[in-house]
Amino acid sequence: MKHILIIEDDIAIAELERDYLEINGFKIDIAVDGDEGLKLASSKDFDLILLDLMLPGKNGFELCREIRTKTEIPILMVTAKKESIDKIRGLGLGADDYIVKPFDPAELVARVNAHLSRYERLTSSDKPMSQEEIIVGKLRILPKAWRVYVGDKEIKLTTKEFELLLFLATNPNIVFTKENLFSRIWGMNAMGDVATVIVHINRLREKIEGDSGEPRYIETIWGAGYRFKI
């Protein structure tokens, strides 16, 4: 049974999330403030975290940053904030996706299932990989080991960053639209915002490119999308 941590100070919303997820076979823990959420996230093994942004104690942004240093499990932000800057900031701190309140509980369950399924497939030890490693210039990707190096330096990527990079690198010189990448990597059609893709591309460039303003690996094809250049 998959174990999910809900960090949400609105008890009614937390219980609604819990009820729908429990009906769908998940085990749930609830924390009602940031400090309790960090304590639980650090002391137990969870498969996914649902994280509200506006929390007493540590806010969701601080919490996301701290949790991401300890684990790569999916973090799904649940927020009333609709401003793009808040979504981009949360994604930039390592969140995998977000859902805006009020939300359809069925959509929430679908998002949770999609992220868990993709994380499990990506990290499964018996997942077949077509290549032992991918080397382009100074960039080296080890799919089976789930590691990335630039030169001799190992680069730490989140789950979604790694999956996005691996997908692009195994499909070189092909242009993918933001919508297409969102569907392929996040696994959900018309559920979310392509800003998710833009933020993850920018974070990847900051981590693997010598100059993110003049990318060597991930090119922007204006009016079309992105491609991994070989």
Side-chain angles (χ1 to χ4, degrees), residues 38 63-72 75 93:
L38 182 60
L63 208 52
C64 183
R65 183 190 296 111
E66 292 195 42
I67 291 172
R68 188 49 84 213
T69 65
K70 305 175 188 299
T71 178
E72 294 301 326
I75 297 175
L93 292 172

Side-chain angles (χ1 to χ4, degrees), residues 114-133:
H115 281 285
L116 286 171
S117 177
R118 283 182 168 267
Y119 181 75
E120 191 172 68
R121 288 200 301 272
L122 184 63
T123 58
S124 175
S125 60
D126 60 356
K127 180 181 185 292
M129 292 286 186
S130 59
Q131 294 172 266
E132 290 290 334
E133 64 179 14

Side-chain angles (χ1 to χ4, degrees), residues 45-56:
D45 289 328
F46 292 97
D47 297 290
L48 181 143
I49 295 174
L50 289 173
L51 175 61
D52 185 35
L53 285 184
M54 305 306 292
L55 293 165

